[in-house]
Amino acid sequence: MNTSTQSMKERELIALLQSGKNQDLAFRELLNQFQEKLYWHIRRMVIHHEDANDVLQNTFIKVFRNIKHFKGDSKLYTWLYRIATNETITYINKQKRKMATGIDQEDGSIAAQLKADSYFDGDEAQIKLKAAIDTLPEKQKLVFNMRYYDDMTYLDISEVLETSVGGLKASYHHAVKKIEHFIKTH
Amino acid sequence: MKEKDLHNELNKLAPELGKLPKEEGFRVPEGYFDQFSDQLMERMHQDSDTDIYVENTSEKIVQLRPSRWRYAAAIAILVLGALWGVNQYIGNPAIPLNQDPLAMLSASDIDQYISSNIDDFEDELLINEQDVSSNPFDGIDFNNEAIDSYIDENILDDLDENSLNEFL
């Protein structure tokens, strides 16, 4: 499938979603196309499956409510990533507030959490990499994940995070260097 | 940027990281992605803001905002009700259009209605409507015996001990 066909299909999908005619079918198509990508993007940030599921649902509900405002200034997938990213950050901040007030208590390091997670069966190297990523500030974490795992271009990441490409390159380089250092020293 | 370029970039920046496989070790429950859309649609169906009315699950889901439909249905029912009422009124020869429908009611019906709905009437309305041309106590003998008898039958039983002492 070439790029022009993809963008035409994308335009058709957006038109259906915005028109209200067969919106249900278009929405299911949107889910089929993007649910997995967005799920993994969210899961890498929130770690646990249940949390990722909640955030993914919230993301698509927000997409459904706001699709009429999508003007096509960016790619559909970067727009979806932006919503997913915002929902994820909102969720993480809520969790942090709950933990700060003692409503929710999550004990232990990221390694301990992953080992206790029934939906994680990674080895020690994978746990170490997750622990290294966990040391990064949120924005660097996002940039690293999108570049390293999703192979996204800096331009697309800049659309998602609404930051300059230069700033993103610097963030990614810092993130990679920190992770490399963590891997070497742990 | 192609995957090869990304790999080169990573190897230059962080050779140790570049050696690691990208598999993450995360799993999802079996069938999670197959069921996700149904799970989400169910949640959206329950939420009035994003309600999706499932007309035929295998074929089509029609997106509605049922609150609007409920309003529309309520308005339609009211309009139909009003039309029916007018129709009944016009079509009923027992009540001529030029006659006040209240005139058809008997005095006892009106009394019964007022007694049952006395709380709905403003004091002012009751006072204004009261017939003051005649004395309502006409024909009643207010001698001491009658008053004592009324108090015995209607008031004493309702008084508690303290009130009774005050009263005495």
Side-chain angles (χ1 to χ4, degrees):
Chain A
M1 191 183 286
N2 62 37
T3 313
S4 63
T5 314
Q6 273 181 333
S7 57
M8 193 182 77
K9 286 206 165 201
E10 192 174 293
R11 278 200 299 273
E12 283 172 4
L13 183 62
I14 295 162
L16 279 174
L17 285 164
Q18 291 178 332
S19 72
K21 193 183 173 187
N22 289 326
Q23 191 187 29
D24 53 303
L25 293 177
F27 193 62
R28 278 190 187 267
E29 177 58 28
L30 185 83
L31 289 171
N32 286 338
Q33 280 189 33
F34 295 103
Q35 62 179 12
E36 280 202 52
K37 267 181 180 289
L38 294 183
Y39 172 86
W40 293 117
H41 175 60
I42 294 164
R43 177 86 184 261
R44 285 177 196 120
M45 293 298 290
V46 299
I47 303 297
H48 299 296
H49 165 73
E50 288 78 11
D51 296 337
N53 180 42
D54 284 349
V55 178
L56 186 64
Q57 287 196 22
N58 294 345
T59 298
F60 276 113
I61 286 172
K62 197 151 269 186
V63 167
F64 182 80
R65 282 178 180 155
N66 290 286
I67 191 71
K68 57 182 175 291
H69 303 304
F70 178 71
K71 292 184 176 68
D73 298 335
S74 60
K75 295 184 190 82
L76 178 62
Y77 105 94
T78 56
W79 184 72
L80 295 172
Y81 260 72
R82 186 154 74 234
I83 293 174
T85 303
N86 289 341
E87 284 299 307
T88 306
I89 290 167
T90 304
Y91 188 86
I92 289 170
N93 289 340
K94 267 188 201 168
Q95 294 299 106
K96 279 181 185 166
R97 278 198 297 274
K98 279 184 186 174
M99 277 193 269
T101 53
I103 296 168
D104 267 8
Q105 288 292 333
E106 197 164 45
D107 294 328
S109 62
I110 185 80
Q113 285 178 43
L114 286 171
K115 282 175 186 170
D117 190 336
S118 55
Y119 294 117
F120 180 81
D121 53 14
D123 58 23
E124 285 302 321
Q126 287 162 329
I127 291 173
K128 193 195 271 192
L129 178 54
K130 288 294 169 201
I133 296 169
D134 195 51
T135 62
L136 303 174
E138 298 295 341
K139 192 180 170 189
Q140 278 185 21
K141 218 184 272 186
L142 282 163
V143 175
F144 177 81
N145 285 341
M146 283 189 270
R147 183 83 178 147
Y148 179 78
Y149 289 113
D150 290 334
D151 299 336
M152 283 172 70
T153 63
Y154 287 118
L155 196 62
D156 285 352
I157 300 172
S158 78
E159 278 188 11
V160 174
L161 299 179
E162 295 176 308
T163 3
S164 70
V165 168
L168 289 174
K169 280 184 182 174
S171 279
Y172 181 70
H173 284 216
H174 275 300
V176 165
K177 289 284 180 195
K178 280 186 202 168
I179 290 169
E180 180 78 351
H181 177 72
F182 186 96
I183 290 170
K184 282 180 180 169
T185 55
H186 285 77
Chain B
M1 190 181 276
K2 289 176 183 171
E3 197 173 331
K4 194 179 170 189
D5 297 332
L6 273 167
H7 193 70
N8 289 339
E9 177 195 52
L10 192 65
N11 277 339
K12 271 188 204 167
L13 281 170
E16 289 300 314
L17 178 61
K19 285 180 203 164
L20 292 177
K22 283 194 178 179
E23 286 79 37
E24 296 176 81
F26 286 135
R27 289 190 301 107
V28 294
E30 205 178 328
Y32 171 69
F33 290 117
D34 297 332
Q35 293 156 14
F36 178 76
S37 54
D38 288 336
Q39 191 190 5
L40 179 69
M41 293 290 189
E42 177 63 30
R43 181 175 160 191
M44 289 169 76
H45 184 51
Q46 287 166 5
D47 183 344
S48 60
D49 283 350
T50 54
D51 198 355
I52 285 184
Y53 172 64
V54 181
E55 202 168 72
N56 178 345
T57 47
S58 62
E59 273 295 310
K60 185 179 171 187
I61 296 173
V62 181
Q63 187 259 328
L64 297 172
R65 291 189 179 271
S67 51
R68 287 183 189 169
W69 284 98
R70 280 189 207 118
Y71 290 136
I75 290 165
I77 289 166
L78 285 172
V79 169
L80 285 174
L83 287 173
W84 181 83
V86 168
N87 229 8
Q88 286 290 105
Y89 185 83
I90 291 167
N92 190 348
I95 309 173
L97 280 170
N98 60 354
Q99 190 175 336
D100 182 357
L102 286 177
M104 307 290 291
L105 297 170
S106 69
S108 64
D109 286 341
I110 294 171
D111 281 348
Q112 196 180 353
Y113 176 79
I114 291 172
S115 302
S116 311
N117 299 280
I118 191 70
D119 292 339
D120 295 341
F121 293 89
E122 299 286 339
D123 291 346
E124 194 182 354
L125 177 70
L126 292 172
I127 290 164
N128 289 341
E129 291 298 312
Q130 185 73 40
D131 180 8
V132 291
S133 61
S134 60
N135 184 349
F137 302 114
D138 275 354
I140 300 174
D141 181 14
F142 285 108
N143 60 38
N144 285 344
E145 197 180 330
I147 292 169
D148 286 346
S149 163
Y150 180 82
I151 289 171
D152 282 346
E153 286 170 17
N154 298 288
I155 297 179
L156 285 179
D157 287 347
D158 296 335
L159 291 173
D160 60 28
E161 200 176 338
N162 291 337
S163 306
L164 190 61
N165 287 336
E166 268 177 39
F167 180 74
L168 293 172

